[in-house]
Amino acid sequence: MMREQALDAVAPVPLLVPDMPTPAALWPWLERMHAARHYSNFGPLVRELETAFCRQFDVPGEQLATVSNATLGLELALQALTLPKGAHVLVPSFTFVATATAVVRAGLVPVLADVDAHSWLLTPQIARDACSRCRVDAVMPVATLGMPHDMAAWQHFEEETGLPVIVDAAAAYGRQWLRGASGTLVFSLHTTKSLPAGEGGFVVSTRPGLAERVRQLSNFGINLDPDGDLPLGALAGVGTNAKMSEYHAAVALAALESWDAHALQRRALYARLYAALNAAAPGLLRWQCGGPDGATQVPTLLCMRLPDADRRQTLERACAAAGIGTRRWYQPVMNDMAILRQAGAVALEAPVSQALSQDLLGLPFFWGMSDTQCARVVRVVADSLAR
């Protein structure tokens, strides 16, 4: 123990450490896969994983589909809406690029909107304002940095406007739920997420037929329903190969076995770092606010806003000198990306997103982060902001 503490005191502190299952935990699932001789194409482990997710989200099997990754999940969910080519999809300017590229690759046009100053989310009210100013045919809000949306509010928005909503919940497994509301959610099981499968994702949707359509499109669009209108093997739509493999399902199932214990530890770690950083820099840090059921959320990242760009840069330099990883999440913002404008994106004014890009910084946060590593991060923040 003393040797580990000594190493933690000098070794670099990474920004993220994947919480992947150990080889020993994974082995029984790989044995089952090999015994079945089924490695892809909706195998038994994929079906078992989907059943587990259906229980978690309290939805029937036809309302959930696994995919090979969340980006393709977004593309196929958009395609399943059968919007006309060139339809306009409202997305936040402050998000990861995959949100916008999924829209473009689906043959649609991203409309880049601002986010709320407190939650850093594209909210129903921001969407209503955007609809009054330009064409909007669908909305794709993002559970930014894992912060969950109020799905009842988005359900009301859908009922009020008639516009479909697909929530990009890639980083929000363990935080974003339907909670009795209707809606469509797309999750990632990438290695950096709180439930990692290396790669993978899944779509949950109460919209009639959407998840089933995603499943079909993930298998090239081939009709596999013997009672369908088309012959078996005929194309029902132009899809792609986005099926989750049995290998990735095995990893996800192994990760699920330790999920509850790791989720409790993540919550405790976040609460400890949040309190310590606020005490180390009283009144100087601003945090993302909002989200239902805050006490039961499972955080995935640790991000904060500094007082200004200069002090962010000072802290970045101090962290680099101390071997502590940092990240300027989602920068530059979408409005500043020329390639999206070339793709026809419509950019609305986004002053909050621009402000976030000037002073937001991510600090190390991962399952298994030691007390010594936490203390090093807090100490560097305190010293940097005291100058």
Side-chain angles (χ1 to χ4, degrees):
M1 179 64 71
M2 293 294 291
R3 184 173 182 273
E4 290 177 359
Q5 290 176 339
L7 288 174
D8 282 347
V10 296
V13 182
L15 181 73
L16 298 171
V17 176
D19 185 17
M20 296 288 285
T22 65
L26 184 57
W27 186 251
W29 298 101
L30 294 179
E31 289 274 26
R32 282 185 51 186
M33 179 186 70
H34 189 61
R37 293 296 197 274
H38 201 149
Y39 304 101
S40 187
N41 293 345
F42 310 119
L45 295 187
V46 165
R47 295 197 298 271
E48 185 169 338
L49 180 64
E50 290 178 343
T51 297
F53 287 148
C54 284
R55 286 196 299 267
Q56 287 183 336
F57 286 86
D58 193 24
V59 296
E62 64 269 18
Q63 293 185 353
L64 190 143
T66 50
V67 286
S68 57
N69 60 69
T71 305
L72 284 173
L74 294 172
E75 290 182 31
L76 297 185
L78 286 167
Q79 187 177 348
L81 292 177
T82 64
L83 298 169
K85 185 175 177 61
H88 285 46
V89 181
L90 191 71
V91 300
S93 180
F94 183 71
T95 185
F96 184 57
V97 295
T99 308
T101 60
V103 174
V104 174
R105 290 178 59 81
L108 309 174
V109 176
V111 179
L112 309 173
D114 207 2
V115 295
D116 179 76
H118 302 289
S119 67
W120 311 346
L121 303 178
L122 169 60
T123 64
Q125 187 55 53
I126 293 173
R128 290 187 186 93
D129 292 342
C131 289
S132 70
R133 298 165 54 193
C134 66
R135 174 184 171 186
V136 174
D137 301 297
V139 183
M140 188 180 284
V142 178
T144 308
L145 304 171
M147 181 61 70
H149 283 270
D150 181 346
M151 293 306 296
W154 279 115
Q155 177 182 339
H156 180 68
F157 173 89
E158 281 192 308
E159 294 168 348
E160 176 187 84
T161 65
L163 299 178
V165 176
I166 296 173
V167 176
D168 178 349
Y173 181 83
R175 302 185 77 179
Q176 181 68 72
W177 305 97
L178 289 171
R179 300 298 189 207
S182 64
T184 300
L185 309 171
V186 181
F187 292 92
S188 173
L189 303 179
H190 186 265
T191 188
T192 58
K193 301 302 187 285
S194 60
L195 182 71
E199 273 290 5
F202 63 100
V203 179
V204 184
S205 180
T206 61
R207 180 175 288 272
L210 189 140
E212 292 172 298
R213 180 70 169 155
V214 166
R215 183 186 303 280
Q216 184 180 73
L217 290 169
S218 77
N219 190 38
F220 308 99
I222 295 172
N223 174 46
L224 296 180
D225 182 3
D227 299 322
D229 296 332
L230 295 172
L232 285 175
L235 273 182
V238 180
T240 187
N241 185 4
K243 300 182 296 292
M244 176 182 277
S245 76
E246 288 288 276
Y247 286 93
H248 291 101
V251 180
L253 286 163
L256 271 177
E257 292 182 317
S258 60
W259 163 254
D260 289 334
H262 288 201
L264 286 172
Q265 293 174 37
R266 281 177 176 270
R267 282 201 290 267
L269 173 63
Y270 189 92
R272 187 163 72 249
L273 281 168
Y274 179 86
L277 288 167
N278 281 330
L284 295 180
L285 306 179
R286 291 171 290 167
W287 302 87
Q288 188 179 18
C289 302
D293 305 327
T296 61
Q297 292 174 9
V298 183
T300 52
L301 298 170
L302 181 71
C303 297
M304 60 189 186
R305 296 186 67 179
L306 281 299
D308 50 55
D310 288 342
R311 275 185 274 193
R312 178 178 69 176
Q313 189 173 61
T314 299
L315 177 56
E316 285 176 318
R317 289 171 176 167
C319 285
I324 294 171
T326 62
R327 177 75 56 82
R328 295 185 180 186
W329 293 106
Y330 309 149
Q331 297 168 39
V333 296
M334 296 292 185
N335 289 39
D336 293 337
M337 293 192 180
I339 196 70
L340 291 177
R341 293 196 297 273
Q342 294 170 18
V346 177
L348 304 179
E349 292 183 0
V352 174
S353 298
Q354 295 289 355
L356 283 164
S357 73
Q358 297 302 306
D359 55 33
L360 183 137
L361 190 65
L363 293 176
F365 181 78
F366 49 88
W367 180 82
M369 192 172 174
S370 71
D371 290 344
T372 302
Q373 290 172 320
C374 291
R376 283 179 61 192
V377 172
V378 172
R379 183 172 64 253
V380 169
V381 171
D383 292 346
S384 172
L385 295 181
R387 295 173 186 171

